[in-house]
Amino acid sequence: MSNIWERIRDWVVLLGLIVTSIVTMVNFNGQLLRSLRAGALQVTARVEQNFAWAGNYLRALDENDELRANNVDLSSQLARLRQADQENVRLRNLLALRDTTDGQLLTTRILSKDVTQQRNFLTLDAGAEDGVEEGMAVVDDEGIIGKVVLTSRRYAVVQSYLNTDFRVPARIQDVGTDGIISWDGVDRMRLLLNFVPKTEPVVPGQEIVTYGSLTFPDGYVVGTVDTAFANEGRNDFQIYLTPATPIGRADYVFVILAKPDPVIEELMEVASQQ
């Protein structure tokens, strides 16, 4: 036992002195301890200040991501509201046209557009059970669209004016001169008016309407004159016009529920064979 005490006696004495020193320092040198603590706090504060930007940067990144997500959501909502407003305007115009047009009109929607070639067609969400028949005219609130060429029970196919086989008689409103509307299969924003004598005072901006057509009632807008010129050796103008209704923008349309008089159609067919 004495041997053990001899071995640890110095360590016990040292430990007692250390404890006594700490107690004495705490009790009698509180000011020194507070000074040491204050110095340590100043050092750690400077360290925290140097690294505080990292936390602020990460928080800013998170806020930017959230703001971008909110901006995308708001932009999407705004686009939908604008589209709904445009559709409301078009529908109001269609209703106004219905109120001012003689004859029965059927409002329907364009389901699909095949406008990638020279013979372009549209598919309507209406068919024979709705009263739609071949040969009926299709228009919207701005002008002509085409004519029905095929029907099923629920759907109808329309030959649009962007079809190289499409023809409709028309008149230059300000001049009172008639011609034939067609499309040359080149530019979807340009139609042709043929057989107008070059002596007529044709100028850009003049309105062209249907006139003398078996399919379309008189007065439906086709478009406005863009350019007019006479090729050398020709006595008639080559007139290009801008369509009143771009096919790409058409969505809701009217089918005029009236067919051409079959007697007149038969006479015209006989005359064309003479």
Side-chain angles (χ1 to χ4, degrees):
M1 185 68 179
S2 61
N3 291 335
I4 296 174
W5 170 249
E6 289 294 335
R7 284 198 300 268
I8 67 173
R9 181 182 58 186
D10 293 340
W11 290 105
V12 171
V13 172
L14 179 61
L15 179 61
L17 291 174
I18 292 173
V19 171
T20 302
S21 299
I22 292 173
V23 172
T24 302
M25 183 181 297
V26 171
N27 292 332
F28 298 99
N29 292 312
Q31 182 64 37
L32 176 61
L33 188 62
R34 286 193 294 270
S35 298
L36 292 174
R37 186 183 297 115
L41 290 174
Q42 289 179 359
V43 172
T44 56
R46 279 195 289 270
V47 173
E48 289 179 357
Q49 184 177 6
N50 289 334
F51 287 96
W53 65 270
N56 293 334
Y57 177 73
L58 293 176
R59 284 193 295 273
L61 288 179
D62 292 339
E63 291 177 358
N64 285 340
D65 290 340
E66 184 177 356
L67 289 173
R68 281 195 291 267
N70 290 337
N71 187 49
V72 170
D73 185 54
L74 290 173
S75 298
S76 177
Q77 292 182 30
L78 181 60
R80 289 195 296 270
L81 288 173
R82 286 176 176 170
Q83 182 177 358
D85 182 63
Q86 292 174 356
E87 289 184 356
N88 287 336
V89 170
R90 296 297 302 278
L91 288 172
R92 285 197 297 270
N93 291 338
L94 287 173
L95 290 174
L97 177 62
R98 177 192 289 274
D99 292 338
T100 58
T101 303
D102 295 332
Q104 187 177 2
L105 302 178
L106 173 69
T107 307
T108 185
R109 184 166 60 94
I110 297 176
L111 290 179
S112 65
K113 302 174 183 179
D114 181 11
V115 289
T116 59
Q117 49 192 345
Q118 292 186 330
R119 302 179 66 198
N120 299 299
F121 297 91
L122 312 173
T123 303
L124 303 184
D125 188 21
E129 66 180 15
D130 303 297
V132 179
E133 298 182 32
E134 295 179 17
M136 290 182 173
V138 180
V139 300
D140 73 355
D141 58 299
E142 296 181 336
I144 69 169
I145 298 294
K147 66 177 181 179
V148 178
V149 293
L150 185 64
T151 62
S152 68
R153 186 174 63 85
R154 295 182 53 194
Y155 306 106
V157 176
V158 175
Q159 180 192 61
S160 74
Y161 62 70
L162 293 181
N163 190 304
T164 52
D165 294 331
F166 181 83
R167 301 288 187 276
V168 61
R171 167 171 287 184
I172 304 175
Q173 190 85 300
D174 295 337
V175 178
T177 302
D178 302 337
I180 301 295
I181 295 291
S182 64
W183 182 56
D184 59 7
V186 178
D187 188 344
R188 292 186 177 88
M189 290 302 297
R190 191 177 71 176
L191 297 176
L192 283 169
L193 179 64
N194 299 307
F195 310 116
V196 175
K198 66 179 181 180
T199 55
E200 298 292 343
V202 180
V203 295
Q206 291 174 329
E207 191 172 65
I208 298 173
V209 299
T210 56
Y211 186 80
S213 170
L214 294 178
T215 302
F216 294 89
D218 293 346
Y220 277 92
V221 180
V222 180
T224 55
V225 175
D226 178 51
T227 56
F229 59 91
N231 291 318
E232 186 175 356
R234 295 290 301 269
N235 293 321
D236 57 345
F237 274 124
Q238 186 166 353
I239 300 174
Y240 290 107
L241 60 140
T242 302
T245 300
I247 293 296
R249 195 174 66 194
D251 42 23
Y252 290 91
V253 295
F254 278 133
V255 179
I256 302 177
L257 298 179
K259 291 187 63 177
D261 188 326
V263 175
I264 297 178
E265 281 191 310
E266 184 178 353
L267 288 174
M268 294 294 292
E269 184 177 353
V270 172
S272 65
Q273 296 174 356
Q274 297 297 320

